[in-house]
Amino acid sequence: MSKKLGKLSEISEEKIRNFHEYTRLQGLKTTKQRGTILDVFFRMKGHISVEELYDIVKTVNPRIGYATVYRTLHLLVDSGQVEERRFGDGMSRYEGHSEVERHGHMICEECGQILEFFNEELETLQIKLADELEFDIHYHRHELFGSCMDKSSCAKRRKKNPKLK
Amino acid sequence: MSKKLGKLSEISEEKIRNFHEYTRLQGLKTTKQRGTILDVFFRMKGHISVEELYDIVKTVNPRIGYATVYRTLHLLVDSGQVEERRFGDGMSRYEGHSEVERHGHMICEECGQILEFFNEELETLQIKLADELEFDIHYHRHELFGSCMDKSSCAKRRKKNPKLK
DNA sequence: ATTGATAATGAGAATGATTATTATTTAGCG
DNA sequence: CGCTAAATAATAATCATTCTCATTATCAAT
């Protein structure tokens, strides 16, 4: 953390506090590496892959290893501050937070762009359906695959998601 | 296909016909191996992993290789007769058909049991939301993770999904 | 501040699902 | 039958992720 980074958002700071609270309760230790990884992660936005995160972490502290990034990300998920997502490109992506707590994604198969959506009615409906089958929802994943029809964006972003079929 | 297998359901037979129609149109060939794999696949139910399918295919014709199972499954997906799903256990699963065309899944984190659900209202809502963001849906994935609260089932099936956290 | 117990790290090896390669076999068609 | 492209089997390669283990760091108790 020798390098200076910009300011963190209010919500990110809270998530970092929650994370530390979690590790403390679990009897885990506070390390510089985790600090760096959290700092970098919560300054990024969108749906971040391990590689993307690792690449930036490297620029802050080149001695941090891949495994540590993985481990920290898992801890972040376990602590409930971050969610793990798997779209179709073969790797996990993590998102720290969003404007809305529970939301779905629309994934453009042309360019890989990811849009988020939220609808109260949808949430209610989900709970109703789960109740009918006596199922208790912890979290959900709602993904719509299709075309975003945003020509300029499609062309631009395709390159960044070559694996997306 | 030397081994005799039970009868195929009406819908499975149709899917097999559709598959052959697809391969014919694509100029692809009909092989014994694919025949065997289809026969076995459509007699299985639920959300089938490549390994599960391969294990049974082996008992019918031990000379069939892993790669052929993968290739055939991909063809089945391409032909639109089968859907590929990825839940959280690290491998793809395939489902041939369901009572309902478009449906979601409730996945029990305790035991790995997968329930299916369908709701017309949900479908309509999805389309409405997509329209608002000018998004054209090709297919969707709607998964609710939680607990099925089916004690006996939970205990029984946990063994089969050791990876499920 | 030092120690001791234990968690964390880093580097690289290992894993496991999936894909690619390649030599050989087979289907489909004249 | 005989040709040609596609398919197969076996195996190597790939790639994200996890594990191993020797070393280092944290932190509570001394």
Side-chain angles (χ1 to χ4, degrees):
Chain A
M1 277 183 287
S2 46
K3 245 191 191 178
K4 248 185 232 137
L5 297 171
K7 235 185 215 118
L8 276 169
S9 73
E10 204 52 63
I11 187 165
S12 292
E13 281 183 351
E14 188 186 330
K15 277 174 179 282
I16 291 177
R17 278 196 301 278
N18 292 344
F19 177 81
H20 284 126
E21 178 65 8
Y22 173 82
T23 50
R24 198 179 59 72
L25 288 172
Q26 297 287 313
L28 305 175
K29 293 167 183 175
T30 306
T31 68
K32 288 195 188 67
Q33 290 91 334
R34 283 184 189 155
T36 302
I37 294 168
L38 293 192
D39 263 10
V40 172
F41 181 84
F42 284 111
R43 259 171 262 261
M44 296 175 74
K45 55 186 171 182
H47 304 78
I48 303 158
S49 69
V50 179
E51 194 185 1
E52 285 163 1
L53 176 57
Y54 177 73
D55 285 346
I56 300 183
V57 164
K58 272 278 168 186
T59 68
V60 180
N61 179 358
R63 301 177 42 73
I64 291 177
Y66 230 134
T68 301
V69 175
Y70 269 102
R71 281 185 291 237
T72 304
L73 243 11
H74 290 167
L75 270 182
L76 273 166
V77 171
D78 292 344
S79 72
Q81 305 312 305
V82 158
E83 282 184 63
E84 183 179 10
R85 308 265 174 201
R86 282 168 215 239
F87 304 114
D89 60 355
M91 66 188 89
S92 291
R93 289 178 178 275
Y94 298 83
E95 62 179 322
H97 58 267
S98 173
E99 306 77 61
V100 288
E101 275 315 297
R102 296 190 141 196
H103 61 273
H105 296 97
M106 296 185 196
I107 298 131
C108 178
E109 297 188 286
E110 307 298 326
C111 68
Q113 178 172 203
I114 297 167
L115 304 166
E116 294 185 353
F117 66 88
F118 174 79
N119 180 275
E120 195 58 64
E121 202 181 329
L122 199 62
E123 300 302 312
T124 316
L125 201 48
Q126 276 184 159
I127 293 166
K128 198 189 94 190
L129 293 169
D131 274 352
E132 284 171 8
L133 293 172
E134 296 187 77
F135 190 85
D136 179 34
I137 305 175
H138 298 164
Y139 64 99
H140 72 162
R141 182 175 295 163
H142 195 174
E143 294 156 10
L144 310 181
F145 292 83
S147 309
C148 71
M149 300 182 283
D150 176 349
K151 297 300 175 214
S152 72
S153 164
C154 265
K156 224 183 304 163
R157 303 198 48 172
R158 172 170 270 295
K159 293 168 198 158
K160 305 183 73 174
N161 290 273
K163 278 199 187 174
L164 226 95
K165 59 182 173 188
Chain B
M1 276 184 286
S2 46
K3 247 192 191 179
K4 249 186 231 136
L5 298 170
K7 234 185 216 118
L8 276 168
S9 73
E10 204 52 63
I11 189 165
S12 292
E13 281 183 349
E14 187 185 332
K15 277 173 180 283
I16 291 178
R17 279 196 300 278
N18 291 344
F19 176 80
H20 283 126
E21 178 65 8
Y22 173 81
T23 50
R24 197 179 59 73
L25 288 173
Q26 298 286 314
L28 305 175
K29 293 169 183 174
T30 307
T31 67
K32 287 196 188 67
Q33 290 90 334
R34 284 185 188 155
T36 302
I37 293 167
L38 293 192
D39 263 10
V40 172
F41 180 84
F42 284 110
R43 259 171 262 261
M44 296 175 73
K45 55 186 171 182
H47 303 76
I48 303 158
S49 69
V50 179
E51 194 185 1
E52 284 163 2
L53 177 56
Y54 176 72
D55 285 347
I56 300 183
V57 164
K58 272 278 169 186
T59 68
V60 181
N61 179 357
R63 301 179 42 73
I64 291 177
Y66 231 122
T68 302
V69 175
Y70 269 101
R71 279 184 297 239
T72 305
L73 243 10
H74 289 168
L75 270 183
L76 273 166
V77 171
D78 292 344
S79 72
Q81 305 313 305
V82 159
E83 282 184 63
E84 183 179 9
R85 308 263 174 203
R86 281 167 214 240
F87 304 113
D89 61 355
M91 66 188 88
S92 292
R93 290 178 177 276
Y94 298 83
E95 62 179 322
H97 59 267
S98 172
E99 306 78 60
V100 289
E101 275 314 296
R102 294 192 141 195
H103 61 272
H105 296 97
M106 297 183 195
I107 298 131
C108 178
E109 295 188 287
E110 307 296 327
C111 68
Q113 179 172 202
I114 298 166
L115 304 167
E116 294 186 352
F117 66 88
F118 173 80
N119 180 275
E120 195 58 64
E121 202 182 329
L122 199 61
E123 299 302 312
T124 316
L125 201 48
Q126 278 184 158
I127 293 166
K128 198 189 94 190
L129 293 168
D131 273 352
E132 284 170 9
L133 294 171
E134 296 187 76
F135 191 86
D136 179 34
I137 305 175
H138 298 164
Y139 65 98
H140 72 162
R141 180 179 298 164
H142 196 174
E143 294 156 10
L144 310 181
F145 292 83
S147 309
C148 70
M149 300 182 282
D150 176 349
K151 298 300 176 214
S152 72
S153 165
C154 265
K156 224 182 305 164
R157 304 197 49 172
R158 171 169 269 296
K159 293 168 199 160
K160 304 183 72 173
N161 291 274
K163 278 198 184 174
L164 226 95
K165 60 181 170 189

